[in-house]
Amino acid sequence: MLAKFGQIGSKRRLGSILVLLVILPAVFFSVYEFSTLSASEELIAEVYRQQLDVVLFSLNQYSWDVANSWANAIDEILSPNPTTEKERASLLASFLRDNAAIQGLFIAYEGSHSPRIYGPALGSAQPPRLSPAEISAALANESALISRLRELKATGYRKIDPIFITEADGTRSLALVFISGGEEGKPHVIGMVLDAERFVTENLARKMDEAAGDNFLLSVNRKNFGDVVYATGDMGRVEDRQTKDLWLFADHSVAIRMKGTTVEDVVRSRFYRNLALIGLLSIVLIAGVWVVYRTVRREVELAQLKADFVSNVSHEIKTPLALIRMVGETLQMKRVTSEKKKQDYYDTIVQESERLTRLINNILSFSRMEAGKKDYHLQPTDVHELVTGVLKHYQTHLEHEGFTVQTDLDRRVPRILADHGAVSEAIVNIIDNAVKYSRQERFLRVSTGVGGSSVFVDIEDHGIGIEQDQQTKIFEKFYRVSTGLTHDTKGTGLGLTLVRHIMDAHHGSVTVRSVVGKGSTFRLSFPTHT
Ligand code: ADP
């Protein structure tokens, strides 16, 4: 019992070690994969960020360059050269025509209350209709910025800055303001009111196409509305992009993503591929572990069965030997006077030595079988004759054991190709088991017949029966049922192994039908040879 517990414990330990050996590396690898995935994604995000910074820098720079060139042109027009106001207005009008992204201009003279407005969209019926009051209010709002621009201008640096002018209905217009003049007269604030969308599509688009190149996609979006003003191509899913604000058009942002399959897609698909591979590998490993576990478990069981076998065989030999010796000595000392008693003693000696012979024959047969040296000489054999012969030989033994023997033998069964001795050995082993594993109801029925294309020999007993899950195991070498009523019956666990081997050699089979407590029927099936 203790040994059994030890065995179960060690089997469990072995199982857990093997499972750990597989599961741990798989878990480690999966965790590693997850961490590299996020690392790769961070790396990609970093690449995007850097690329976006470069693109953004060049777009912003370009916007400033455009704004600067406009400011230069306006400076030029406002310089004292064109003397008349009319001339100046016509120059400004043509400048505005050439640069459609500028909706209009305003000039706020120092000291003057109301700025002067130029341009078709300003003060006209076209929206936005910025009024001088709205412009003044915006400039007053940004007075700090304006004075800073003035200071810078005084040092010789003309800086351009964006401001927003809010209209009565709440819409905001973007104006780039700078300080002009001042050489003669007072410096004044110039504002270029921009149509941001037009600037993007007409001025920035070319630059964006250039910056995007073959690998990236770029778009400028309105931040508040989320719509695209211009895109170099289909930007795809929002998650695949990175965005940053434009300096000049603060209410617009630039988005970037990879063209075609994104690096994320590649990384993600590689990740899922790896994960699938790990899964597959784990399944293969688990299957391998299972096979190893089963093999090792079988070996452990076999070792245990072999150990049991030695003790069983010693017992099996000792019992009849002791009986023979005791009966022999009694006879030797001439203590038995009655002839009937003497006869009983002689019978015991014969039966016990027969039992010993059977046991030793079984062991020898088994060792020959294991060494692959058990030979079979198959020749046409009359099954009826063979079975009746065996039964006749065992009749006294069975009667002595208190058995009722019933036969149902079909004389007409065709001859089979068989090794007479081996088949007798198989039948004897099964009968022997019927004797060993029967209790009160000692009944044996042997029948023969033809079923399909085979000849069968059925041996039925009303013994203890065999549990369903044990019914295949009993044919394994050394295997003995260790539960239920078999406990107290000694045996070697070789009998049915030999039967199976013999039947295999005859290209036949041995099967069992059994109900615990009711009995068992073993069937030997032989192919018919016509
Ligand atoms: P042994 O009888 O020496 O133990 P066998 O190989 O002949 O070895 O049988 C294997 C096991 O099958 C037995 O230990 C027993 O538990 C079970 N068995 C065999 N025949 C019978 C039977 N007729 N009734 C019940 N159990 C049986």
Side-chain angles (χ1 to χ4, degrees):
M1 207 61 173
L2 272 177
K4 279 262 145 58
F5 276 132
Q7 230 179 306
I8 292 166
S10 68
K11 268 189 233 161
R12 283 217 183 112
R13 216 169 23 249
L14 176 76
S16 0
I17 289 171
L18 290 175
V19 166
L20 277 182
L21 273 179
V22 175
I23 302 294
L24 275 187
V27 168
F28 275 132
F29 191 61
S30 308
V31 171
Y32 170 74
E33 268 297 301
F34 269 113
S35 62
T36 51
L37 174 76
S38 52
S40 313
E41 281 188 338
E42 265 167 36
L43 202 72
I44 291 161
E46 186 53 35
V47 169
Y48 273 12
R49 256 195 303 277
Q50 285 177 7
Q51 192 65 28
L52 187 60
D53 281 346
V54 172
V55 167
L56 212 60
F57 184 81
S58 89
L59 291 186
N60 281 323
Q61 199 56 47
Y62 179 73
S63 308
W64 285 121
D65 288 349
V66 172
N68 253 321
S69 70
W70 286 341
N72 286 344
I74 293 166
D75 264 345
E76 184 72 22
I77 296 168
L78 296 185
S79 72
N81 286 346
T83 40
T84 64
E85 181 57 34
K86 204 169 161 229
E87 222 175 336
R88 189 169 284 174
S90 113
L91 280 172
L92 282 176
S94 98
F95 167 76
L96 288 175
R97 258 195 314 279
D98 293 346
N99 299 287
I102 308 174
Q103 290 182 311
L105 284 176
F106 62 81
I107 306 174
Y109 293 100
E110 176 93 327
S112 157
H113 288 304
S114 177
R116 186 171 302 168
I117 295 173
Y118 298 90
L122 297 188
S124 73
Q126 302 284 316
R129 289 167 293 168
L130 287 180
S131 67
E134 285 161 353
I135 295 169
S136 299
L139 289 178
N141 244 349
E142 298 283 357
S143 59
L145 173 86
I146 303 293
S147 9
R148 172 98 191 107
L149 292 181
R150 281 187 195 287
E151 275 166 35
L152 288 171
K153 177 72 181 167
T155 64
Y157 170 52
R158 185 198 59 206
K159 190 171 187 286
I160 304 174
D161 259 328
I163 63 164
F164 284 100
I165 303 162
T166 315
E167 289 172 57
D169 63 0
T171 34
R172 297 191 327 152
S173 293
L174 173 74
L176 297 180
V177 292
F178 62 97
I179 309 297
S180 176
E183 292 84 7
E184 324 165 355
K186 289 181 180 158
H188 31 262
V189 182
I190 311 285
M192 301 181 273
V193 181
L194 292 187
D195 179 340
E197 274 79 61
R198 229 173 159 159
F199 182 84
V200 172
T201 48
E202 285 181 16
N203 296 73
L204 221 50
R206 233 177 325 112
K207 196 73 194 164
M208 280 167 69
D209 288 337
E210 218 172 87
D214 291 335
N215 298 327
F216 291 95
L217 288 165
L218 288 172
S219 71
V220 170
N221 313 299
R222 283 206 294 175
K223 277 194 333 192
N224 291 346
F225 304 98
D227 57 340
V228 177
V229 179
Y230 178 78
T232 62
D234 180 13
M235 290 297 285
R237 296 184 311 163
V238 179
E239 306 88 77
D240 293 334
R241 320 172 186 161
Q242 275 212 19
T243 52
K244 264 190 175 176
D245 296 351
L246 275 170
W247 298 335
L248 201 55
F249 308 103
D251 50 356
H252 287 69
S253 64
V254 177
I256 190 167
R257 63 156 288 199
M258 289 281 279
K259 232 181 205 174
T261 317
T262 64
V263 183
E264 281 107 321
D265 291 341
V266 174
V267 170
R268 217 170 278 144
S269 72
R270 185 182 63 109
F271 169 73
Y272 287 122
R273 208 178 41 240
N274 283 358
L275 219 58
L277 270 178
I278 298 170
L280 205 72
L281 204 71
S282 301
I283 292 170
V284 172
L285 280 175
I286 286 172
V289 163
W290 187 72
V291 170
V292 171
Y293 173 73
R294 258 183 53 142
T295 316
V296 173
R297 198 186 61 181
R298 219 179 270 158
E299 286 303 314
V300 170
E301 278 171 2
L302 201 61
Q304 182 63 39
L305 290 175
K306 274 184 184 163
D308 293 347
F309 168 76
V310 174
S311 98
N312 287 344
V313 167
S314 330
H315 181 273
E316 288 274 273
I317 293 174
K318 262 183 112 192
T319 319
L321 267 184
L323 202 60
I324 292 168
R325 187 169 172 184
M326 191 193 79
V327 174
E329 280 174 358
T330 317
L331 287 171
Q332 194 183 37
M333 284 185 255
K334 299 198 177 9
R335 289 215 194 117
V336 192
T337 45
S338 116
E339 271 313 304
K340 189 182 172 306
K341 198 98 183 140
K342 270 189 197 164
Q343 193 53 47
D344 277 357
Y345 277 19
Y346 294 139
D347 284 351
T348 307
I349 291 172
V350 172
Q351 267 170 23
E352 290 304 306
S353 16
E354 269 186 351
R355 197 171 132 190
L356 265 179
T357 313
R358 275 203 307 279
L359 173 75
I360 288 161
N361 277 346
N362 261 359
I363 295 173
L364 289 177
S365 257
F366 175 75
S367 80
R368 272 204 301 277
M369 181 193 100
E370 282 285 273
K373 287 184 187 151
K374 192 164 163 59
D375 295 326
Y376 297 92
H377 303 286
L378 306 186
Q379 41 200 331
T381 307
D382 184 337
V383 179
H384 181 72
E385 203 181 290
L386 189 150
V387 174
T388 39
V390 173
L391 283 176
K392 203 166 153 211
H393 188 81
Y394 277 86
Q395 198 168 355
T396 357
H397 173 62
L398 287 168
E399 276 168 10
H400 185 257
E401 290 286 346
F403 267 80
T404 311
V405 182
Q406 252 186 33
T407 52
D408 180 8
L409 308 176
D410 184 349
R411 284 176 174 278
R412 292 158 308 159
V413 292
R415 289 161 87 81
I416 56 166
L417 268 185
D419 181 317
H420 194 285
V423 175
S424 305
E425 191 183 339
I427 296 174
V428 168
N429 273 331
I430 294 173
I431 294 180
D432 219 24
N433 280 347
V435 175
K436 280 200 293 187
Y437 303 110
S438 288
R439 298 293 176 256
Q440 281 87 7
E441 214 181 314
R442 301 175 84 71
F443 172 86
L444 189 79
R445 178 193 176 87
V446 181
S447 40
T448 55
V450 182
S453 60
S454 60
V455 170
F456 65 82
V457 179
D458 278 357
I459 299 149
E460 178 189 342
D461 65 48
H462 289 177
I464 59 173
I466 305 155
E467 278 175 31
Q468 187 75 33
D469 62 336
Q470 304 285 327
Q471 288 178 11
T472 48
K473 291 184 181 166
I474 53 174
F475 296 100
E476 288 169 17
K477 60 184 171 189
F478 305 122
Y479 191 84
R480 310 198 67 235
V481 179
S482 56
T483 53
L485 303 163
T486 332
H487 267 313
D488 50 350
T489 312
K490 284 286 172 186
T492 56
L494 296 183
L496 290 179
T497 314
L498 277 169
V499 173
R500 193 176 59 180
H501 193 265
I502 292 166
M503 291 316 293
D504 285 350
H506 284 80
H507 308 291
S509 64
V510 51
T511 49
V512 62
R513 275 180 296 124
S514 184
V515 178
V516 175
K518 287 258 168 6
S520 320
T521 304
F522 283 86
R523 168 168 286 199
L524 305 180
S525 305
F526 300 88
T528 47
H529 295 271
T530 46

